[in-house]
Amino acid sequence: MDSLTEIYEKYAALRSFHDSGATKSYAFRLKALHTLKQTIVLRKNEIKQALMLDFKKPEYETYLSDIGVITDEIKHTLRHLKSWMKPKTVSTPLAIFPGYNTKIYQESKGVVV
């Protein structure tokens, strides 16, 4: 097990990487999702075994409620990612009107999967 200091150092490195803006691009997000899906598929037997040991969860249930659901959600996200990332134009508040185009950008706010 990592020491608390090592955990804080790893978190700080992840936070720094996130704050650099490297995770904002479509290409980065696409690659991360493909990597996550591939890892789940490659390690499905380990996932099944861990859930069986921890929760006595049968193999078929693990696939239906965990592996299959997650990989389907990743596929759905991959299909819609580009449109979800597009800035959304919204009404400009009267206080800053005229001259501004108000948009909402969908961006992660932290160090999460």
Side-chain angles (χ1 to χ4, degrees), residues 2 7 9 11 22 27 31-32 44 46 60 85 87 107-108 111:
D2 292 326
I7 292 170
E9 287 171 357
Y11 175 80
K31 183 179 178 187
K44 68 183 174 199
E46 294 170 55
Y60 69 90
M85 288 181 65
E107 298 177 356
S108 66
V111 180

Side-chain angles (χ1 to χ4, degrees), residues 2 6 21 24 27 61 83 104:
D2 292 326
E6 290 171 324
K24 289 184 179 184
E61 187 180 338
S83 66
I104 297 174

Side-chain angles (χ1 to χ4, degrees), residues 16 21 54 75 79 85 110:
S16 178
D54 288 351
K75 288 178 199 173
R79 281 193 300 271
M85 288 181 65

Side-chain angles (χ1 to χ4, degrees), residues 44-66:
K44 68 183 174 199
N45 291 332
E46 294 170 55
I47 294 167
K48 289 176 190 176
Q49 184 179 13
L51 291 173
M52 173 56 92
L53 290 171
D54 288 351
F55 304 113
K56 306 291 186 246
K57 199 168 191 178
E59 189 173 314
Y60 69 90
E61 187 180 338
T62 296
Y63 183 80
L64 289 174
S65 66
D66 296 293

Side-chain angles (χ1 to χ4, degrees), residues 9-112:
E9 287 171 357
K10 287 177 184 179
Y11 175 80
L14 289 170
R15 169 54 67 189
S16 178
F17 180 70
H18 175 271
D19 292 347
S20 75
T23 63
K24 289 184 179 184
S25 75
Y26 174 73
F28 178 88
R29 294 177 187 190
L30 193 67
K31 183 179 178 187
L33 286 165
H34 279 294
T35 301
L36 177 60
K37 183 176 174 240
Q38 182 180 24
T39 302
I40 291 168
V41 170
L42 288 173
R43 297 187 173 263
K44 68 183 174 199
N45 291 332
E46 294 170 55
I47 294 167
K48 289 176 190 176
Q49 184 179 13
L51 291 173
M52 173 56 92
L53 290 171
D54 288 351
F55 304 113
K56 306 291 186 246
K57 199 168 191 178
E59 189 173 314
Y60 69 90
E61 187 180 338
T62 296
Y63 183 80
L64 289 174
S65 66
D66 296 293
I67 296 167
V69 171
I70 293 169
T71 54
D72 284 348
E73 287 294 321
I74 293 170
K75 288 178 199 173
H76 179 77
T77 301
L78 288 168
R79 281 193 300 271
H80 298 282
L81 182 62
K82 190 170 272 195
S83 66
W84 290 346
M85 288 181 65
K86 288 182 182 176
K88 309 284 188 276
T89 302
V90 295
S91 299
T92 302
L94 189 58
I96 61 172
F97 190 80
Y100 291 95
N101 290 324
T102 310
K103 296 184 181 200
I104 297 174
Y105 293 85
Q106 301 294 333
E107 298 177 356
S108 66
K109 301 297 180 201
V111 180
V112 296

